[in-house]
């Protein structure tokens, strides 16, 4: 959902908003396929009508979109939680997040959306953080908030909670559950304070309990909202490093606070610095780095962005290419499929879309796909 110049769009009708939620909640529809369906059919209403036929062409004959009653219950739960939906093409959808390759098409929010369009810095770190790291995170977050930045974190125990507390009310909490579910339970009061005084964001449907696969999705939102991600304290194998990697892949700054090589909880930060993250020692380092951020990060901790276009111009008219025989369970770049098949980008993407809706395709980070 890369931002592009366009003519002003008409206001979203209630029927189309409902259809968009239903489309995204339908089986095997993710951010990329959602965007491709809107592009090809012009509206979620028409895309929903086309889903069974597209699934049949992918060899799945019993496909049904998400039930209307399920979406009605979800919307009622959102209203009960005093939350609202923000769609990818609304003016207040966060601009930096919209630039992510797989930005969430719909988010639910409580609080002040203006915070997401101020300069943002993500701060993440260990759940079982040391006392020194907790104090450091709180102090950094307070100074960054006072310096005009919104601090984004994931409401986890340890470093995340300290970052929110230190930067309140200039903070955004991104959660891996529905907007109406407090997780972890120890942070129920903090989560409610963020929703009331700052900004709370969720991608999952209201009523959704957090699961393991939701946390990497949450991490990409944390990284996507901010010009840079600062890791305060993290072990070598840590969810915080996933957030840092996602920030690097998106062309954002990656920063880390160094620690003792004798402390296992510092090994992740030291590894990031060795791999090209910017070493940070005080909040002014972050402010200086991000105040002049122009889209070209100083940190070299990043991977090359995929070369393919996930939504090519010719997709609206293309017939699907025959690419299933080129796929295995090993992830392969989409642009490699285009080269090997000799077909247009639109034809390949249409074939992948049909396979995805049929439940036969998995999309991976970095523009890669594989058979399920």
């Amino acid at each position: 959902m890369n931002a592009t110049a366009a003519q002003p769009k008409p206001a979203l009708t209630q029927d189309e908003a409902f259809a968009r939620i239903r489309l995204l909640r339908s089986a095997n529809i993710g951010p990329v396929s959602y965007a491709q369906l809107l592009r090809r059919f012009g509206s979620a209403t028409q895309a929903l009508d086309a889903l069974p036929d597209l699934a049949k062409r992918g060899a799945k004959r019993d496909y049904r979109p998400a039930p209307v009653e399920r979406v009605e219950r979800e919307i009622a739960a959102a209203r009960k939680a005093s939350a609202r939906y923000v769609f990818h093409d609304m003016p207040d959808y966060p601009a930096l997040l919209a630039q992510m390759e797989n930005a969430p098409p719909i988010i639910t929010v409580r609080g002040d959306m203006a915070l997401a369009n101020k300069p943002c810095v993500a701060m993440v770190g260990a759940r079982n953080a040391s006392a020194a790291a907790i104090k450091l995170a709180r102090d950094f977050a307070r100074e960054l908030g006072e310096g005009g930045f919104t601090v984004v974190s994931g409401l986890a125990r340890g470093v995340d909670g300290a970052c929110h507390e230190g930067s309140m009310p200039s903070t955004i909490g991104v959660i891996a559950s529905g907007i109406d579910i407090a997780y972890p339970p120890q942070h129920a009061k903090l989560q409610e304070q963020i929703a009331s005084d700052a900004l709370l964001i969720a991608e999952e449907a209201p009523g959704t309990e957090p699961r393991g696969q939701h946390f990497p999705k949450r991490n990409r939102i944390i990284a996507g909202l901010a010009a840079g991600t600062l890791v305060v304290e993290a072990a070598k194998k840590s969810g915080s490093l996933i957030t840092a990697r996602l920030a690097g892949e998106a062309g954002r700054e990656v920063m880390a606070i160094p620690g003792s090589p004798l402390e296992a909880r510092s090994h992740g930060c030291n590894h990031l610095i060795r791999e090209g993250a910017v070493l940070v020692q005080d909040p002014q380092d972050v402010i200086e780095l991000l105040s002049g951020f122009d889209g070209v990060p100083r940190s070299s901790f990043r991977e090359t962005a995929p070369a393919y276009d996930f939504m090519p111009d010719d997709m609206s008219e293309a017939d699907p290419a025959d690419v299933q025989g080129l796929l295995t369970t090993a992830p392969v770049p989409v642009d490699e499929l285009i080269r090997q098949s000799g077909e247009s980008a639109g034809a390949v993407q249409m074939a992948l879309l049909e396979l995805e809706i049929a439940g036969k395709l998995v999309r991976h980070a970095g523009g890669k796909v594989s058979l399920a």
Side-chain angles (χ1 to χ4, degrees):
M1 247 121 359
N2 291 337
T4 56
Q7 295 297 320
K9 297 181 180 180
L12 193 64
T13 66
Q14 284 193 342
D15 286 347
E16 177 62 12
F18 187 95
R20 287 186 176 190
I21 299 169
R22 188 182 175 206
L23 177 63
L24 189 61
R25 303 305 183 221
S26 296
N28 307 323
I29 302 299
V32 173
S33 50
Y34 172 96
Q36 291 176 341
L37 287 164
L38 286 188
R39 176 73 168 269
R40 182 171 177 88
F41 295 102
S43 72
T45 303
Q46 291 179 303
L48 284 168
D49 291 339
L51 280 181
D53 184 59
L54 291 172
K56 187 181 298 183
R57 285 158 60 176
K60 183 176 178 63
R61 300 187 178 279
D62 57 350
Y63 187 95
R64 295 181 182 179
V68 169
E69 296 79 10
R70 173 184 157 195
V71 179
E72 289 174 341
R73 290 194 298 270
E74 173 186 327
I75 293 173
R79 288 174 176 162
K80 185 177 180 181
S82 301
R84 68 183 181 94
Y85 292 90
V86 177
F87 297 86
H88 72 277
D89 52 359
M90 282 183 166
D92 56 350
Y93 189 94
L96 277 180
L97 183 59
Q99 296 174 14
M100 298 287 281
E101 169 197 329
N102 60 344
I106 305 170
I107 53 178
T108 50
V109 304
R110 291 182 61 194
D112 183 7
M113 280 299 293
L115 286 168
N117 284 308
K118 289 176 58 180
C120 292
V121 56
M123 290 184 64
V124 294
R127 287 176 170 82
N128 63 334
S130 64
I134 294 290
K135 183 179 186 306
L136 196 64
R138 188 179 294 113
D139 292 346
F140 261 70
R142 180 179 297 109
E143 191 163 336
L144 289 169
E146 292 171 352
F149 283 86
T150 298
V151 174
V152 186
S153 199
L155 260 163
R157 297 185 298 273
V159 166
D160 287 18
C163 292
H164 291 305
E165 291 167 353
S167 57
M168 192 75 68
S170 296
T171 193
I172 298 174
V174 185
I175 54 177
S177 60
I179 197 82
D180 54 344
I181 303 293
Y183 186 85
Q186 306 95 299
H187 278 175
K189 184 176 179 181
L190 176 61
Q191 182 168 316
E192 182 59 32
Q193 184 183 5
I194 290 172
S196 300
D197 301 337
L199 177 62
L200 183 69
I201 295 177
E203 178 179 13
E204 304 304 326
T208 303
E209 295 286 346
R211 296 180 179 178
Q213 66 265 33
H214 297 161
F215 288 91
K217 293 170 64 180
R218 175 206 64 174
N219 292 351
R220 91 185 192 287
I221 298 176
I222 294 171
L225 285 166
T229 291
L230 172 63
V231 184
V232 177
E233 182 180 72
K236 191 76 175 286
K237 294 182 179 180
S238 164
S240 300
L241 269 63
I242 295 175
T243 308
R245 177 179 58 79
L246 292 167
E249 288 176 353
R252 313 292 169 81
E253 294 287 9
V254 179
M255 302 161 284
I257 297 175
S260 168
L262 301 178
E263 171 56 65
R265 288 173 290 193
S266 297
H267 289 177
C269 289
N270 294 345
H271 170 76
L272 289 175
I273 293 168
R274 188 179 67 184
E275 295 298 314
V278 175
L279 187 155
V280 164
Q281 298 187 90
D282 63 59
Q284 283 303 315
D285 293 340
V286 180
I287 293 172
E288 179 183 349
L289 190 64
L290 296 187
S291 293
F293 184 74
D294 59 0
V296 181
R298 279 174 43 191
S299 57
S300 58
F301 183 81
R302 58 187 182 276
E303 297 181 13
T304 303
Y308 83 102
D309 180 1
F310 80 91
M311 201 163 62
D313 291 337
D314 62 346
M315 189 175 172
S316 60
E317 300 176 356
D319 291 324
D322 184 10
V323 298
Q324 188 168 353
L326 297 174
L327 291 165
T328 69
T329 54
V332 61
V334 173
D335 52 2
E336 184 63 26
L337 292 176
I338 295 169
R339 280 194 294 270
Q340 291 194 28
S341 69
E343 299 280 357
S344 69
V348 171
Q349 288 287 21
M350 194 63 218
L352 298 178
L353 177 62
E354 291 177 0
L355 290 171
E356 184 176 10
I357 294 171
K360 295 184 174 183
L361 186 86
V362 177
R363 293 189 186 270
H364 303 270
K368 296 180 180 179
V369 293
S370 71
L371 291 179

